[in-house]
RNA sequence: GCCGGAGUGGCGGAAUUGGCAGACGCAAGGGACUUAAAAUCCCUCGAAGCCUAGCUUUGUACGGGUUCAAGUCCCGUCUCCGGCACCA
């Protein structure tokens, strides 16, 4: 008979909710512990099974920490601004506030149904004016410190969403959300100077405990590289400045290449004989989508600036200047010195346009491909005979003394495009005055509320909904009271999520984003788990904001998250990403209804290694369901009169050790299998000492809190609740068996096992082998060359033939 | 192309630092209980072979190597997944 999970789960959820069992106090004698999961976007589809995978994991940590005597903060909220709600509004005319509200209610129901130990008193919502007031406030502080600025730059423009995208939202030249091609478009945008923090975002990774691959991703995304800027003279008063990481190859620089967007092209136009051709090429580059421009397989294209040349400062040779879209304006200086012998991209370009290739590093075969490795310098004047590293130093010094160049560090990381031409986001709290320029809306007027609108459809020309609200847009300058216009761009979804973990600390504070004493108490986040897909952008952005707030003296620590882990995705049973169109979506409601929340939770932890992607397979649920029923049935065998035998103690302590360890290492699948084995052992007994059931309840409680709480109440104690129990410590004297099984090998081959007492000597063991009927036949005593003994584990007898 | 990660029975997956490969679970087969079924419980379960109470050989993507001993370490190859991608 299966246990009545419906009643039990409802009962305990009500108790927890009514008693506020998981509300965190902002002080107290206990050590604090801040466990964080990524707050979800409340989509119309409801909870994805990937959410409870992460939530259950951190819920296990949170519940275990409470039992270990910590004051635990485990909060939840809603990252509720964003495109889907707005797209829904465009389609159905429903205000995003309304649809978002509905979705939040549904998510809440689902999360409660799964029994997560969230502190519901601290629930936050990024679309709540009381929340976004502070998002706007932080933006203004960034502005006041010169870290937010407007720039007229080519942005990524999604042709379908009609919205500017951050570089990070462009996937292979297409829009991350809708997959449409992305083109360049000039737009005056708010930018955040994240590049100013690039070094600190790399260096401070030393202080935190993130998975190595997460650190690597952060470092690679920032993309720091060391090189030099070098000036190539074009005419008496014109220089082209290039950035290169290989200044050592300067003697092999046989031409220069400018990006089609390079500002200098306007000036150079007058000096060249093929101006129209060049202009035409640049125009075309502009209208190419990123998809086309980034297609690596395509042949490189370019146009030479005819009648013009630059002087290679090392060789004094006059070399041609080209324009090509393989050089990007957004990196370095937007101009390069091309060294075809030692850069594959330059090599391909030189081959196509029959440009000279000059070897300056020996070691490769430049008739086949560019050689990018190390070697001795040749054809390089005073650098000849040096290796690459030494030559770099020499040439940079030489360029410096002749005032032709200097060493320079560059980053792949660009400043953060912070503007969106959208309705459903935080209004950027700025006003533009003809006289005073950009002026922040006075702090006491924050938040700038998102105005009500009738239609959510943006203009054909990419004009946003807010731009159409003339009454709202026209306002007075806070400084001079002259006529001024409000900013109509809104913030990206990354804004609200860049600081939400701070608001949890003091969610209802009306006068500050969070009180200092509370921040001092709770920060940093002790453990933050989330999806691998957020380990570059969200993590980088929120670290950037946090560092800024630290510089402002508003938070007590440099890094927001002490420890960061990531869970793998849950794929459909077909091994594909779950999606409506594939029809492979699993609805948590169905699972909870049929099997119960506890089975669902334990199953999610059992399904596979936590950090790897797993396929959903419904069959496995039956195994977990049986397991929990078996646990439920253990109480029938409780015998309060029998005491613990030594072997029971050993089993218990071993299990405590392994389960504790596996939880901390997030190897939940093996923690569960260990509890299963323990349960199997218990059920094999004719009578079970009560203590052993107690331990079973405690160890399983973080995974299956409802049913273990019920068992505890029914069979262990009515007075003290399970959640108030102490997480057990193990006795290291009791974790090993007294008797051990030794694997006996002859010449590395397993020939049998021997059960002996612990700590037996090699000599005695060897005699036992010789005396053993089954084993002795493999060993010819006279021919034994060597015996290898791993105490209490293995004996390997090496013998000649 | 570059940077990560993975490849183990019919399936999901175990195997702290090299030390009994296949824990735990699913599926399957057999048995008990039952009028029957479901549920539950017990047994078997990588492959091949043989003189079949057992024994032998073989086996962790593929090919080499190191070692008394390799799923684990080293070299090379293939496949899959994730991230980045003309970043000079």
């Amino acid at each position: 008979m299966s246990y009545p999970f419906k009643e039990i789960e409802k009962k305990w959820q009500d108790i927890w909710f009514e008693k506020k069992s998981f509300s965190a106090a902002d002080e107290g004698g206990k050590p604090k512990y801040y466990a964080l999961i990524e707050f979800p976007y409340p989509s119309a589809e409801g909870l994805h099974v990937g959410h409870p995978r992460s939530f259950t994991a951190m819920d296990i940590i949170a519940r275990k920490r409470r039992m270990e005597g910590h004051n635990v903060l485990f909060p939840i909220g809603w990252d509720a601004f964003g495109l889907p709600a707005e797209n829904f509004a465009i389609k159905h005319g429903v205000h995003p506030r309304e649809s978002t509200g509905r979705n939040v209610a549904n998510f809440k129901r689902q999360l409660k149904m799964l029994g997560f130990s969230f502190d519901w008193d601290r629930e936050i919502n990024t679309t709540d004016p009381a929340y976004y007031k502070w998002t706007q406030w932080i933006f203004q502080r960034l502005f006041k410190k010169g870290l937010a600025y407007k720039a007229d730059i080519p942005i990524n423009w999604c042709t379908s969403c009609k919205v500017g995208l951050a570089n990070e939202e462009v996937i292979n030249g297409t829009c991350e959300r809708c997959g449409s091609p992305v083109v360049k478009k000039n737009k005056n945008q708010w930018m955040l100077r994240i590049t100013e923090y690039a070094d600190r975002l790399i260096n401070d990774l030393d202080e935190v405990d993130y998975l190595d691959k997460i650190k690597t991703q952060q470092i690679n995304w920032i993309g720091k590289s060391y090189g030099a800027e070098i000036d190539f003279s074009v005419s008496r008063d014109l220089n082209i400045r290039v950035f290169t990481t290989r200044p050592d190859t300067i003697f092999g620089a046989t031409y220069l290449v400018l990006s089609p967007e390079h500002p200098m092209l306007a000036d150079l136009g007058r000096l060249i004989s093929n101006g129209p051709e060049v202009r035409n090429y640049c125009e075309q580059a502009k209208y190419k989508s990123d998809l086309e421009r980034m297609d690596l397989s395509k042949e490189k294209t370019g146009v030479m600036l005819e009648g013009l040349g630059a002087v290679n400062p090392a060789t004094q040779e006059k070399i041609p200047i080209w324009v090509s879209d393989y050089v990007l304006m957004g990196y370095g200086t937007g101009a390069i010195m091309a060294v075809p012998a030692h850069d594959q991209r330059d090599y391909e370009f030189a081959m196509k346009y029959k440009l000279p290739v000059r070897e300056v590093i020996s070691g490769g075969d430049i008739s086949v491909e560019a050689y990018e490795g190390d070697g001795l310098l040749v054809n390089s004047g005073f650098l000849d005979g040096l290796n690459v590293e030494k030559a770099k130093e020499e040439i940079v010094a030489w360029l410096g003394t002749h005032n032709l160049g200097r060493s320079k560090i560059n980053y792949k990381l660009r400043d953060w495009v912070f503007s969106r031409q959208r309705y459903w986001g935080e209004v950027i709290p700025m006003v533009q005055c003809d006289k005073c320029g950009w002026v922040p809306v006075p702090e006491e007027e924050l938040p700038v509320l998102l105005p009500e609108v009738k239609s959510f459809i943006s203009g054909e020309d990419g004009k946003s909904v807010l731009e159409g609200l003339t009454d709202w847009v026209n306002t007075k300058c806070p400084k001079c009271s002259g006529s001024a216009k409000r900013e109509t761009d809104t913030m990206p979804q990354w804004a609200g999520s860049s600081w939400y973990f701070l608001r949890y600390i003091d969610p209802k504070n009306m006068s500050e984003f969070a009180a200092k004493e509370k921040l001092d108490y709770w920060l940093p986040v002790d453990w933050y788990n989330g999806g691998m897909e957020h380990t570059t952008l969200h993590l980088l952005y929120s670290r950037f904001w946090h560092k800024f707030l630290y510089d402002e003296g508003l938070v007590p620590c440099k890094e927001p998250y002490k420890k960061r882990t990531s869970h793998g995705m849950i794929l459909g049973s077909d091994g594909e990403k779950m999606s409506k169109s594939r029809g492979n979506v699993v609805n948590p409601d169905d699972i909870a209804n049929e099997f119960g929340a506890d089975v669902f939770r334990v199953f999610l932890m059992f399904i596979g290694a936590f950090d790897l992607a797993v396929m959903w397979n419904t069959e496995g649920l039956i195994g977990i369901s049986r397991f929990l029923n078996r646990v439920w049935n253990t109480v029938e065998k409780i015998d309060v009169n029998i005491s613990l035998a030594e072997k029971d103690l050993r089993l218990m302590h071993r299990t405590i050790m392994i389960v504790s360890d596996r939880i901390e290492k997030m190897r939940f699948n093996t923690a569960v299998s260990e509890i299963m084995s323990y349960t199997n052992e218990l059920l094999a007994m004719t009578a079970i000492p009560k203590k052993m059931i107690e331990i079973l309840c405690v160890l399983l409680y973080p995974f299956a809190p409802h049913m273990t709480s019920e068992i505890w109440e029914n069979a262990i104690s009515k007075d003290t609740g399970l959640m108030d129990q102490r997480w057990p410590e193990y006795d290291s004297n009791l974790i090993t068996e007294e008797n051990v099984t030794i694997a006996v090998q002859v010449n590395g081959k397993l020939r049998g096992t021997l059960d002996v007492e612990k700590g037996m000597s090699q000599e005695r063991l060897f005699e036992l082998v010789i005396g053993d009927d089954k084993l002795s036949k493999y060993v010819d005593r006279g021919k034994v060359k060597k015996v290898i003994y791993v105490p209490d584990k293995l004996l390997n007898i090496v013998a000649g033939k």
Side-chain angles (χ1 to χ4, degrees):
Chain A
M1 194 184 69
S2 111
Y3 74 98
F5 62 82
K6 282 211 167 112
E7 299 152 42
I8 292 175
E9 291 177 356
K10 175 88 173 53
K11 169 185 160 183
W12 288 98
Q13 283 161 18
D14 289 348
I15 290 175
W16 295 332
F17 193 68
E18 277 157 29
K19 286 194 174 169
K20 296 187 184 295
S21 302
F22 306 113
S23 290
D26 289 321
E27 62 207 337
K30 296 175 180 177
K32 69 96 184 177
Y33 199 88
Y34 189 169
L36 184 66
I37 44 104
E38 286 170 347
F39 65 161
Y41 174 78
S43 71
E45 284 81 40
L47 212 59
H48 181 277
V49 285
H51 291 121
R53 190 184 198 194
S54 169
F55 298 176
T56 303
M58 282 316 285
D59 192 46
I60 288 167
I61 302 292
R63 286 180 187 266
K64 177 166 180 275
R65 285 288 181 278
R66 290 190 192 100
M67 285 180 146
E68 287 166 338
H70 287 84
N71 178 27
V72 172
L73 172 56
F74 185 40
I76 180 75
W78 316 104
D79 189 14
F81 275 129
L83 279 180
E86 186 166 348
N87 289 339
F88 186 82
I90 291 168
K91 227 171 161 183
H92 301 102
V94 179
H95 197 288
R97 196 185 305 112
E98 214 176 290
S99 56
T100 300
R102 265 205 306 273
N103 296 346
V104 164
N106 187 40
F107 263 65
K108 236 172 133 163
R109 176 189 62 78
Q110 290 184 303
L111 293 179
K112 283 185 179 166
M113 157 188 101
L114 294 174
F116 297 122
S117 62
F118 292 128
D119 180 348
W120 287 102
D121 289 342
R122 293 171 186 260
E123 185 182 347
I124 57 170
N125 186 324
T126 54
T127 66
D128 180 351
Y131 181 90
Y132 70 67
K133 169 180 177 176
W134 300 105
T135 312
Q136 292 176 337
W137 180 81
I138 295 170
F139 175 85
Q140 288 190 342
R141 286 192 83 111
L142 285 159
F143 174 78
K144 287 169 190 164
K145 282 283 143 67
L147 292 167
Y149 63 98
K150 270 228 150 168
D152 205 12
I153 51 141
I155 58 141
N156 305 301
W157 181 259
C158 173
T159 47
S160 165
C161 302
K162 296 203 162 55
V163 62
L165 303 172
N167 290 331
E168 304 82 47
E169 292 168 304
V170 182
I171 308 297
N172 287 330
T174 62
C175 171
E176 182 189 46
R177 287 191 184 273
C178 70
S180 311
V182 170
V183 296
K184 294 282 168 200
K185 183 168 174 163
N186 265 317
K187 174 94 190 153
N188 201 239
Q189 312 264 350
W190 283 103
M191 307 286 290
L192 295 187
R193 243 183 261 283
I194 188 172
T195 49
E196 201 123 297
Y197 283 74
D199 272 325
R200 288 165 65 188
L201 289 167
I202 294 173
N203 296 339
D204 291 347
L205 287 172
D206 289 344
E207 293 181 10
V208 292
D209 175 19
Y210 294 0
L211 294 178
D212 276 344
K213 62 174 170 182
I214 298 176
K215 286 191 182 181
T216 309
Q217 275 193 6
Q218 298 260 303
I219 290 166
N220 289 347
W221 186 266
I222 296 166
K224 183 176 189 174
S225 51
Y226 300 83
E229 278 184 354
I230 303 173
D231 297 326
F232 284 68
S233 143
V234 180
S235 65
R236 198 168 298 122
D237 49 2
L238 262 185
N239 280 331
I240 293 177
R241 180 166 289 185
V242 303
F243 173 73
T244 178
T245 53
R246 294 295 304 275
D248 53 301
T249 60
I250 189 166
F251 284 85
T254 51
Y255 61 102
L256 298 186
V257 189
L258 300 182
S259 160
E261 293 91 7
H262 200 287
M264 227 172 175
L265 283 168
D267 296 335
L268 295 174
R270 291 175 281 110
L271 306 170
I272 59 179
S273 55
N274 61 339
E277 195 192 347
V278 171
R279 259 194 304 283
N280 186 34
Y281 180 82
C282 295
E283 277 299 300
Q284 277 186 4
K286 197 166 144 193
Y287 290 113
K288 270 188 195 173
S289 69
D290 272 15
L291 191 61
E292 292 168 294
R293 254 183 96 155
M294 279 169 30
D295 184 3
L296 290 176
S297 58
K298 77 145 206 262
E299 233 180 71
K300 293 187 169 39
T301 58
V303 181
M304 191 168 97
L305 303 185
E306 276 170 29
L308 206 64
V311 176
N312 180 326
T315 61
Q316 294 304 315
E317 257 177 309
K318 195 157 189 179
I319 57 173
I321 305 167
W322 287 69
V323 177
S324 171
D325 63 8
Y326 86 89
V327 174
L328 309 173
M329 193 57 225
Y331 184 77
T333 61
I336 62 156
M337 64 174 207
V339 185
H342 304 289
D343 183 290
Q344 191 57 29
R345 295 155 301 183
D346 298 342
Y347 188 86
E348 284 162 21
F349 193 79
M351 286 296 130
K352 180 169 176 191
Y353 293 107
K354 310 233 165 1
L355 293 158
V357 180
R358 184 182 302 147
E359 181 178 54
V360 291
I361 313 282
S362 58
D365 180 0
I366 61 156
S367 65
V368 187
E369 58 179 2
Y371 176 66
E372 298 179 350
D374 196 3
L376 298 182
L377 276 275
V378 294
N379 302 322
S380 295
F382 66 96
L383 299 177
D384 280 352
L386 300 175
N387 66 14
V388 166
E389 197 195 331
K390 192 82 189 117
K392 277 182 184 171
E393 288 170 26
E394 290 287 321
I395 190 69
V396 170
W398 182 85
L399 289 165
T401 45
H402 294 80
N403 201 25
L404 293 165
R406 61 221 61 83
S407 64
K408 168 86 184 171
I409 291 166
N410 255 313
Y411 303 90
K412 280 196 237 179
L413 183 72
R414 318 277 165 85
D415 277 343
W416 176 5
V417 181
F418 202 67
S419 284
R420 297 292 183 275
Q421 296 69 47
R422 280 281 162 175
Y423 173 72
W424 192 232
E426 300 90 344
V427 172
I428 294 177
M430 301 293 291
V431 165
Q432 189 173 32
C433 167
D434 293 337
K435 269 184 267 169
C436 311
W438 283 105
V439 181
V441 172
E443 200 177 314
E444 56 278 11
E445 284 175 35
L446 295 181
V448 178
L449 293 172
L450 193 55
E452 291 303 318
V453 292
K454 292 207 179 73
S455 162
F456 302 94
I457 300 163
S458 50
E460 274 308 300
D461 47 357
K463 259 198 174 178
S464 76
V465 175
L466 294 181
E467 269 179 281
L469 301 177
T470 331
D471 289 351
W472 181 78
V473 171
N474 291 320
T475 184
K476 285 206 165 89
C477 171
K479 237 187 212 167
C480 70
S481 298
S483 67
K485 284 185 190 307
R486 285 185 190 279
E487 172 59 65
T488 57
D489 284 349
T490 52
M491 300 187 196
Q493 206 178 347
W494 309 106
S497 60
S498 288
W499 73 283
Y500 74 109
F501 58 96
L502 299 174
R503 188 62 178 173
Y504 282 141
I505 288 171
D506 197 2
K508 297 186 174 86
N509 196 324
M510 297 302 284
S511 55
E512 293 169 283
F513 74 97
K516 190 177 180 302
E517 321 85 69
K518 292 183 183 177
L519 291 167
D520 287 347
Y521 177 70
W522 284 113
L523 284 176
V525 171
D526 290 281
W527 193 335
Y528 187 19
N529 185 76
M532 205 58 210
E533 67 272 27
H534 294 126
T535 48
T536 35
L537 307 169
H538 160 62
L539 214 55
L540 204 63
Y541 291 155
S542 60
R543 289 179 62 223
F544 161 48
W545 274 37
H546 192 84
K547 284 180 183 305
F548 167 69
L549 294 174
Y550 175 75
D551 291 346
E552 294 284 282
L554 296 167
V555 293
C557 50
K558 280 197 262 182
E559 284 288 334
Y561 318 116
K562 207 157 145 190
K563 176 181 177 116
R564 165 75 191 204
T565 51
S566 285
H567 58 273
M569 266 195 303
I570 297 188
L571 306 168
S573 47
D574 51 2
E576 301 282 344
K577 224 174 187 159
M578 281 191 191
S579 72
K580 252 195 211 159
S581 55
R582 286 203 185 84
N584 59 357
V585 176
V586 175
N587 184 348
D589 286 326
D590 298 340
I591 310 297
N593 279 327
E594 195 177 341
F595 296 94
D598 284 334
V599 170
F600 189 29
R601 292 167 57 112
V602 176
F603 177 64
L604 283 170
M605 295 298 99
F606 188 68
I607 192 166
F610 185 66
D611 57 330
L612 299 179
V614 286
M615 267 185 264
W616 181 263
N617 73 318
T618 307
E619 281 84 49
L621 277 162
I622 299 188
I624 302 299
S625 185
R626 280 182 200 150
F627 163 56
L628 291 191
N629 272 304
R630 286 157 61 78
V631 171
W632 183 254
N633 292 333
T634 54
V635 295
E636 287 165 18
K637 288 190 172 180
I638 288 189
D639 189 334
V640 290
N641 297 315
I642 53 167
S643 52
L644 289 162
E646 167 121 7
K647 68 165 182 44
D648 299 337
L649 266 174
R650 288 185 188 279
L651 171 64
M652 245 169 55
H653 282 262
R654 220 183 82 87
T655 306
I656 292 166
M657 193 235 358
I658 295 176
V659 172
S660 306
D661 174 71
R662 298 300 141 89
I663 289 175
E664 291 307 315
K665 290 180 177 151
M666 293 200 129
R667 303 176 53 147
F668 302 108
N669 52 339
T670 56
V672 172
S673 70
E674 203 58 37
I675 301 172
M676 284 173 169
S677 297
Y678 180 72
T679 307
N680 291 345
E681 298 259 10
L682 294 191
L683 286 169
M685 300 162 86
T686 43
I688 308 169
K690 193 176 169 192
K691 182 72 191 168
M692 296 189 85
I693 308 267
E694 284 181 38
I695 291 297
L696 174 62
C697 285
V698 174
L699 295 182
L700 188 56
Y701 163 78
F703 296 83
H706 312 88
M707 74 116 55
T708 48
S709 294
E710 184 68 16
I711 293 175
W712 189 272
E713 189 178 80
N714 294 340
I716 307 295
S717 168
K718 288 210 170 13
D719 310 324
T720 58
L722 174 54
M723 58 180 274
D724 298 320
Q725 297 305 304
R726 195 79 195 183
W727 187 262
E729 308 252 336
Y730 64 88
D731 180 344
S732 50
N733 295 315
L734 288 169
I735 57 168
T736 49
E737 300 296 323
E738 286 205 293
N739 291 311
V740 289
T741 304
I742 304 282
V744 179
Q745 296 182 342
V746 178
N747 288 334
K749 272 204 171 103
L750 181 73
R751 291 303 181 182
T753 57
L754 282 176
D755 287 332
V756 299
E757 69 209 45
K758 251 186 98 179
M760 184 172 279
S761 71
Q762 179 180 322
E763 291 71 24
R764 272 196 64 199
L765 202 56
F766 184 76
E767 291 309 318
L768 280 177
V769 171
I770 296 300
D772 187 283
D773 286 349
K774 282 179 188 160
L775 295 170
S776 59
K777 65 179 173 184
Y778 299 105
V779 188
D780 184 343
R781 196 161 202 171
K783 292 183 178 165
V784 172
K785 283 186 193 155
K786 193 173 171 185
V787 178
I788 283 138
Y789 180 47
V790 183
D792 297 333
K793 269 199 172 160
L794 171 142
L795 186 80
N796 188 11
I797 299 165
V798 186
K801 291 267 165 73

